[in-house]
Structures are given as structure tokens and as C-alpha cells.
Amino acid sequence: QVQLVESGGGLVQPGGSLRLSCAASGSIFSINVMTWYRQAPGKERELVATITSGGSTNYADSVKGRFTISRDGAKNTVYLQMNSLKPEDTAVYYCNAHLTLRLGSVVRSYWGQGTQVTVSS
């Protein structure tokens, strides 16, 4: 069974920083892509940042230059460094992983439970 566990959320003042972590555990053969999404109250879930197994990254326009996604392949962990936070960054942040459980198996999508980020003075 695969689990994704996020951590690092909390309350921060505007202009502050937070670092989110998402650790994948279980019987994992390989992780292709790891992505951070967020969902604010009353809004749809939106992509924040993606990183591939090769290290290629992609960001939402709203976070470019402020957020940095990285991963530790040995630990099956992805990070999201969030700087210069704004009130509009307030949301539940979710981790998603596209991975395989064994060689040649289909790629499956897994989600974490989410971690709350609140930016407020």
C-alpha cells in the first residue's frame, strides 16, 4: 500500500516562508512525476508545481519566482519551498505522485491528505 504524507503547513505572515514536504512510502518501484496542488475555499484545485524524475520543473504563473519544487529520489520525497507568501496563497496543499509499483506495471496516481497553509497578519 502506498501512502503520501504531507507536512510543514501552518500559519505565516505575508512575506514569510514555509517549506512543505511530501514523503511517499510503501512498495514503490519508481516515481515518475510529483506535483503540488492547492485548493482554496470555494475554488477548484489548481496545479502549483511539478517535478519529473529527471528534475524538470513547471510552475503556475502565480507562484513563479516565489516557490521552488525539489525532490530527493532516494527518500521518495518532494519539497515545496514557498517564499514571499501572499494571503492569496492560503489553501490546502496536496501532494500527488504518479508512480509504478513494479517493473512494467501501469502508472498509478496517489494523493496525500493535504496540509493547510494560511497566510495572514
Side-chain angles (χ1 to χ4, degrees), residues 18-80:
L18 281 176
R19 188 192 193 209
L20 305 183
S21 299
C22 171
S25 63
S27 182
I28 298 169
F29 177 72
S30 68
I31 300 178
N32 298 345
V33 180
M34 299 191 81
T35 302
W36 286 99
Y37 290 83
R38 66 186 181 187
Q39 187 166 20
K43 295 188 177 181
E44 294 186 354
R45 190 171 296 189
E46 63 174 355
L47 185 148
V48 177
T50 295
I51 187 166
T52 69
S53 58
S56 297
T57 59
N58 187 48
Y59 297 91
D61 288 342
S62 58
V63 306
K64 282 181 181 177
R66 300 189 297 121
F67 291 10
T68 302
I69 189 170
S70 60
R71 66 188 287 176
D72 184 332
K75 296 181 179 180
N76 286 338
T77 299
V78 64
Y79 306 96
L80 186 68

Side-chain angles (χ1 to χ4, degrees), residues 71-98:
R71 66 188 287 176
D72 184 332
K75 296 181 179 180
N76 286 338
T77 299
V78 64
Y79 306 96
L80 186 68
Q81 178 66 44
M82 304 186 294
N83 298 329
S84 302
L85 283 161
K86 304 175 181 179
E88 50 263 44
D89 294 317
T90 295
V92 178
Y93 284 70
Y94 296 91
C95 174
N96 173 267
H98 284 190

